[in-house]
Amino acid sequence: MAPERWLFWHRRDLRLADNLGLAAAAAATPAVTGLYVLDPAIVSGPLMAPARAWFLCESLRELAVRWRAAGSRLLILQGDPAVLVAQAALATGASVVAWNREVEPYGRERDRQVAAALRAQDTRVLVDWDQLLVAPEAIRTGAGEPYRVYGPFLRNWRGQVEGRAALGAGSAGGLEPVAAPGGLLDLEPSALPAERAPLWQALPMLSAVPSAEELGFPFSGADLCPCRPGEAAALAQLQAFADGGVNGGPLAAYEPGRNLPGEAGTSALSAALSVGTLSPRQAWAAARGARALARSAEALTSIGVWEQELAWREFYQQALFHFPELAEGPYRPQWKVFPWENDPERLRAWREGCTGFPIVDAAMRQLNTSGWMHNRCRMIVASFLVKDLICDWRQGEQVFMQRLVDGDLAANNGGWQWSASSGMDPRPLRIFNPATQAAKFDPEATYIRRWLPELAHVATADLISGAIGPLERRGYPEPIVSHKVQQARFKALHAALPRG
């Protein structure tokens, strides 16, 4: 008798290795078929970035090849998942559809609709967590509430992750691929029963993965983007980052290297973690492996800081899971009545990298050209938009989502609310001085010169301070605001907010 057919529905887990939902499916039956649905609400939505479309399409292209090598196939459909997943199950004769859960409000509601449609036709559903090291339901305060502050969350989270690793319970990562080459059983359309053949033919199936251009999002910055698409590239980047950390490479120097935008001091794995070409378990396992071989206190400190960054990622995801209203507005209620000025010309200058503040403009030029921005610079430009230009942080959040290769609702929203002081933060007000930040983190103006080549001739001190003489500007704009004046104005507006 032929083995039971299962479908595995990929979303934020575009890999075969260390994919918990897929591993569960393959353990139950070798007859597993992959499925990805190009959802117009996502791939054609107003917040899709050209860089992200490129990363997604290239990752899907590699994933389809990997499915073939494993002996099966990846079906690519285009349309509404709430309809198409159930149709695909009927057409393939799948008795079970498995997938990994998500934290975002849209994804959770979509999954509820898909599950209801499947159960209505007697197709079983198997779901579990994969994109988090600790499931949201498994981490609570002593009072049984979700965490609202990072520090206590970190302690609980780290204890659980390290405990599972010590027990060998999977969080050490590095699981084997879902099947040896050719180990899965493919679905042969010509052998489908007569009653299912029309259902198969009616599926809106694509013969090949489309390009970003074909989706309507041409991207010309692939060579400049440090994030590389696909499972193989993610693992190679992780190895280069973490293994090098043992011998003085990026991970061993992550602190302070992570804060220096002019150097390649970060992992550049944010997009891989966002779409799931890399699992958080693989990232954690790499850090633990480097820790075991570290040769200095400085390297151990750096590894610990990177582990904390993984925890920040999960803190923001779990916050969005427990408080889905964060996707629409501020966590702190008084920020709902903040009198934003939202000057459209100032927003345009910020968006285009023409504010007259070199470190801000360099960062925005990097984003606009490469689809990626260094994290230190994300904090600088966010603080500038909110607290110098007094623009609603949600406008910046939207611009980032429309341009970032690693655009992720939870991380992007959490970062912007942190910068705006409207989110879950026991220190509610911080204002970055662009010149001070540049002096501290780009002291030779290496980063500024790279992304503002028209200012390469300007003295370093002037590039950092922004006090560039008229003759040396050569078309570069004057500062559109005074940081000193705007800082005082923002503080006054903040002081007038209702307390509580």
Side-chain angles (χ1 to χ4, degrees):
M1 187 173 71
E4 186 179 39
R5 173 68 53 185
W6 283 36
L7 279 181
F8 180 78
W9 179 24
H10 286 278
R11 294 91 61 75
R12 301 284 290 272
D13 49 14
L14 304 185
R15 65 186 185 281
L16 295 192
D18 195 23
N19 185 322
L20 299 187
L22 180 53
T29 175
V32 184
T33 300
L35 173 66
Y36 188 87
V37 181
L38 288 163
D39 182 353
I42 296 175
V43 299
S44 301
L47 296 182
M48 174 53 77
R52 202 155 64 253
W54 160 75
F55 195 94
L56 170 66
C57 292
E58 293 304 309
S59 296
L60 281 172
R61 187 167 289 112
E62 182 194 273
L63 183 64
V65 172
R66 286 179 175 264
W67 270 96
R68 281 294 190 191
S72 188
R73 70 178 68 192
L74 177 69
L75 306 180
I76 305 289
L77 308 183
Q78 190 162 16
D80 184 358
V83 175
L84 294 181
V85 175
Q87 288 183 0
L90 289 177
T92 59
S95 58
V96 182
V97 179
W99 65 80
N100 293 310
R101 296 173 65 185
E102 291 197 21
V103 302
E104 296 182 7
Y106 171 78
R108 293 171 68 187
E109 176 56 30
R110 174 205 60 207
D111 291 357
R112 282 190 285 267
Q113 294 178 21
V114 170
L118 289 167
R119 289 173 179 136
Q121 65 188 31
D122 295 325
T123 304
R124 302 196 307 277
V125 172
L126 175 69
V127 298
D128 202 353
W129 285 106
D130 175 81
Q131 71 181 75
L132 297 169
L133 287 168
V134 180
E137 300 91 343
I139 185 165
R140 299 276 180 164
T141 68
E145 296 292 323
Y147 281 96
R148 294 169 171 82
V149 179
Y150 171 74
F153 170 87
L154 172 63
R155 290 188 288 274
N156 189 331
W157 179 87
R158 180 183 281 277
Q160 291 200 43
V161 174
E162 290 179 343
R164 293 181 186 182
L167 293 172
S171 61
L175 299 182
E176 291 301 313
V178 65
L184 296 180
L185 297 178
D186 196 9
L187 173 72
E188 181 50 59
S190 62
L192 288 173
E195 67 273 13
R196 289 211 304 272
L199 299 174
W200 175 268
Q201 294 167 1
L203 287 175
M205 196 180 307
L206 302 182
S207 58
V209 177
S211 65
E213 289 77 8
E214 289 168 329
L215 290 179
F217 295 95
F219 178 58
S220 60
D223 291 340
L224 294 172
C225 184
C227 301
R228 308 316 300 169
E231 182 177 354
L235 289 172
Q237 282 190 277
L238 176 64
Q239 182 176 5
F241 175 73
D243 289 0
V246 177
N247 298 305
L251 180 53
Y254 187 70
E255 182 65 29
R258 69 190 177 111
N259 279 314
L260 306 177
E263 300 181 7
T266 68
S267 69
L269 290 170
S270 50
L273 286 166
S274 179
V275 305
T277 52
L278 184 76
S279 82
R281 291 168 302 281
Q282 291 169 318
W284 180 263
R288 303 309 286 180
R291 179 179 288 279
L293 298 173
R295 299 172 183 173
S296 68
E298 292 78 11
L300 287 171
T301 296
S302 289
I303 294 166
V305 170
W306 194 61
E307 290 170 345
Q308 291 172 21
E309 292 301 311
L310 296 176
W312 269 113
R313 173 183 177 271
E314 298 217 357
F315 176 70
Y316 284 144
Q317 288 186 307
Q318 301 210 21
L320 185 61
F321 178 85
H322 291 297
F323 306 99
E325 63 272 17
L326 289 171
E328 303 300 328
Y331 173 73
R332 296 175 182 269
Q334 62 267 41
W335 286 89
K336 295 179 181 178
V337 296
F338 191 90
W340 301 109
E341 295 181 355
N342 293 332
D343 184 308
E345 282 304 306
R346 289 180 176 178
L347 176 63
R348 180 200 59 77
W350 174 85
R351 190 172 57 238
E352 296 177 5
C354 297
T355 67
F357 288 76
I359 189 66
V360 172
D361 293 340
M364 293 305 295
R365 303 272 187 94
Q366 180 184 32
L367 173 63
N368 295 341
T369 305
S370 73
W372 187 82
M373 185 192 295
H374 190 279
N375 189 60
R376 169 55 57 176
C377 296
R378 297 187 198 203
M379 293 188 282
I380 294 171
V381 302
S383 177
F384 185 82
L385 179 71
V386 174
K387 293 167 179 174
D388 284 71
L389 304 187
I390 314 183
C391 284
D392 191 332
W393 59 270
R394 286 169 291 192
Q395 297 194 31
E397 179 190 20
Q398 180 178 4
V399 169
F400 270 27
M401 286 300 290
Q402 290 171 333
R403 302 186 183 193
L404 279 172
V405 67
D406 57 3
D408 178 283
L409 175 57
N412 191 46
N413 180 275
W416 273 96
Q417 295 225 39
W418 184 92
S419 295
S421 305
S422 67
M424 298 178 178
D425 194 334
R427 296 173 55 193
L429 187 62
R430 56 173 62 83
I431 300 176
F432 284 7
N433 182 318
T436 301
Q437 291 286 307
K440 186 174 182 180
F441 300 116
D442 192 28
E444 301 302 322
T446 304
Y447 178 79
I448 293 173
R449 286 192 173 92
R450 177 179 182 187
W451 296 105
L452 298 180
E454 70 268 34
L455 297 181
H457 63 283
V458 176
T460 297
D462 295 341
L463 282 178
I464 290 172
S465 69
I468 304 170
L471 294 179
E472 292 188 302
R473 287 188 175 275
R474 299 181 185 177
Y476 182 71
E478 295 276 352
I480 60 174
V481 295
S482 161
H483 173 71
K484 183 177 181 180
V485 170
Q486 293 300 102
Q487 176 181 253
R489 175 162 178 74
F490 183 87
K491 287 180 176 178
L493 292 172
H494 176 264
L497 286 177
R499 300 297 98 185

